[in-house]
């Protein structure tokens, strides 16, 4: 464990005086602790020493990807102050996909690449000028084009903090970081159009298939969604069914809609739909289209 690495990461990600969310999650027994603090407190020697102690005793250390509004007590979507990063989780064919991402002329060089475990990565782009709707659509298109994790497209997403250990594994895996570029990017720097989608074509034929019994619940949900949509099942009905099956999620409906949206978009692309039609579909599908009883106010997920 190296708290100096964590200190540099947090300093690069956030501005002085900002409010951030730090999350500690233990696997066994399962427990979650969240702290909403100012950046300067998180950077203090005593605070970093506490995080190191908790990490040593089995807690995984995360931070929210975007700053929170001053005075926030939670990490819900409506507590996010502004869009600071775009990001993508890559947990399948990690080396190949990171290489393709670096070589792409349709997305800029990432600001940060986290190696979270063997073959798994989180890539971040530090941005400004994105509103929340622009960010959400961009995150979905990044997943569709580059084959990332479809469950990781919300604005209150958390990231692993480098310098600490990923305690999901035995032995624990050190989370490392590199900073390929110091630029701050804008919406026009991301050309998520047909050129990007064509560049991603090699991934489409092998889009997230998993061996039974070896995958996570989210990966099983993805495989089920793709199969049902391929059979012509209605996206709205599938969203409601998936939400009812995943009551373990803090916001089952939001999780279900996000999964079905991205699976629908990927299948549309495979069937030759234009990117404009895919974007229109993503923009049109909203919780308001679903039964009111199943559409609670937006909440963050831990």
């Amino acid at each position: 464990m190296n708290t100096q690495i964590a200190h540099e990461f947090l300093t690069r990600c956030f501005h002085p005086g900002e409010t951030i969310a730090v999350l500690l999650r233990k696997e066994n027994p399962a427990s979650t602790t969240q702290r909403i603090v100012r950046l300067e407190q998180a950077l203090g020697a005593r605070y970093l020493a506490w995080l190191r102690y908790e990490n040593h005793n089995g807690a995984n250390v995360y931070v929210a990807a975007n700053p929170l509004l001053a005075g926030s007590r939670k990490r819900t979507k409506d507590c996010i102050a502004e869009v600071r990063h775009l990001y993508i989780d890559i947990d399948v064919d990690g080396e190949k996909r990171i290489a393709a991402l670096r070589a792409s002329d349709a997305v800029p060089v990432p600001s940060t690449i986290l190696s979270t475990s063997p073959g798994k990565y989180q890539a971040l782009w530090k941005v400004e000028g994105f509103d929340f709707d622009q960010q959400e659509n961009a995150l979905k298109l990044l997943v569709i084009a580059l084959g990332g994790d479809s469950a990781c497209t919300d604005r209150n997403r958390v990231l692993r903090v480098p310098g600490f250990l990923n305690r999901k594994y035995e032995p624990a895996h050190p989370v490392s970081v590199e900073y390929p570029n110091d630029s701050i990017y804008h919406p026009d720097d991301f050309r998520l159009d047909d050129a990007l989608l064509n560049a991603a074509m090699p991934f489409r034929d092998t889009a997230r298939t998993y061996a039974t019994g070896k995958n996570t619940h989210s990966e099983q949900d993805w495989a089920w969604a793709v199969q049902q949509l391929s059979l012509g099942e209605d996206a709205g009905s599938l969203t409601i069914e998936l939400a009812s099956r995943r009551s373990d999620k803090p916001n089952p409906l939001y999780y279900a809609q996000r999964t079905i949206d991205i699976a629908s978009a990927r299948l549309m692309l495979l069937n030759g739909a234009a990117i404009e039609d895919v974007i229109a579909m993503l923009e049109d599908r909203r919780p308001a289209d679903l039964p009111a009883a199943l559409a609670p106010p937006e909440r963050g997920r831990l």
Side-chain angles (χ1 to χ4, degrees):
M1 288 175 278
N2 187 327
T3 56
Q4 184 56 43
I5 293 175
H7 187 287
E8 180 182 6
F9 175 74
L10 294 173
T11 301
R12 283 174 170 265
C13 287
F14 302 103
H15 299 158
E18 286 190 324
T19 300
I20 66 173
V22 177
L23 191 73
L24 300 175
R25 181 181 292 142
K26 291 186 177 180
E27 300 292 328
N28 189 22
S31 65
T32 299
T33 301
Q34 183 168 267
R35 296 286 185 266
I36 309 298
V37 298
R38 288 171 66 89
L39 174 64
E40 288 75 9
Q41 181 179 348
L43 295 175
R46 292 183 62 183
Y47 202 91
L48 289 171
W50 172 66
L51 293 178
R52 181 173 58 196
Y53 170 82
E54 292 292 332
N55 187 228
H56 176 76
N57 286 281
N60 290 289
V61 182
Y62 303 87
V63 67
N66 294 309
L68 276 62
L69 295 168
S72 295
R73 295 178 178 269
K74 300 178 180 179
R75 183 178 47 85
T76 54
K77 292 178 69 177
D78 57 1
C79 289
I80 301 300
E82 64 179 85
V83 175
R84 180 62 48 76
H85 296 99
L86 297 186
Y87 33 84
I88 186 170
D89 275 35
I90 297 175
D91 55 9
V92 176
D93 294 331
E95 302 296 339
K96 182 188 299 184
R97 294 177 191 251
I98 281 290
L101 187 155
R102 289 178 184 270
S104 174
D105 61 359
V107 294
V109 176
S111 308
T112 305
I113 297 177
L114 298 169
S115 174
T116 59
S117 60
K120 297 187 178 184
Y121 298 89
Q122 290 177 321
L124 287 72
W125 293 266
K126 195 169 184 177
V127 299
E128 62 183 16
F130 281 82
D131 62 30
F132 294 132
D133 288 339
Q134 285 177 309
Q135 185 204 31
E136 182 171 319
N137 282 336
L139 293 176
K140 289 178 179 179
L141 291 172
L142 284 169
V143 167
I144 295 163
L146 297 173
D149 187 344
S150 62
C152 303
T153 58
D154 43 353
R155 64 175 176 259
N156 53 340
R157 173 72 175 157
V158 295
L159 310 166
R160 286 191 180 272
V161 179
F164 296 108
L165 298 173
N166 182 340
R167 303 308 299 259
K168 290 179 68 174
Y169 298 93
E170 187 59 46
H173 180 79
V175 180
S176 60
V177 63
E178 61 175 303
Y179 302 105
N181 197 296
D182 288 331
S183 297
I184 297 177
Y185 299 112
H186 301 84
D188 289 346
D189 294 317
F190 294 84
R191 296 178 293 278
L192 295 169
D193 53 13
D194 289 325
L196 172 59
L197 298 170
N198 289 337
M201 188 66 74
F203 297 126
R204 295 184 184 173
D205 295 334
T206 58
R208 297 186 71 88
T209 56
Y210 302 93
T212 302
K214 200 174 181 181
N215 46 323
T216 67
H217 287 167
S218 294
E219 292 165 349
Q220 292 171 8
D221 293 341
W222 172 264
W224 174 82
V226 170
Q227 180 186 48
Q228 295 301 308
L229 288 166
S230 298
L231 293 173
E233 297 293 335
D234 175 69
S237 299
L238 294 176
T239 300
I240 295 169
E241 180 175 349
L242 182 55
S244 69
R245 289 165 46 170
R246 293 309 306 269
S247 59
D248 58 307
K249 292 288 184 180
N251 189 335
L253 181 65
Y254 177 68
Y255 166 81
Q257 186 173 29
R258 190 174 60 225
T259 301
I260 299 299
D261 280 357
I262 296 174
S264 298
R266 190 175 280 270
L267 288 173
M268 286 177 66
L269 291 167
L270 288 171
N271 290 327
I275 183 62
E276 293 82 3
D277 294 334
V278 174
I279 293 173
M281 181 276 294
L282 293 174
E283 291 176 342
D284 287 344
R285 289 206 68 223
R286 292 289 181 264
D289 299 330
L290 301 169
L294 292 176
E298 289 183 338
R299 296 175 292 165
R301 66 182 183 85
L302 295 180

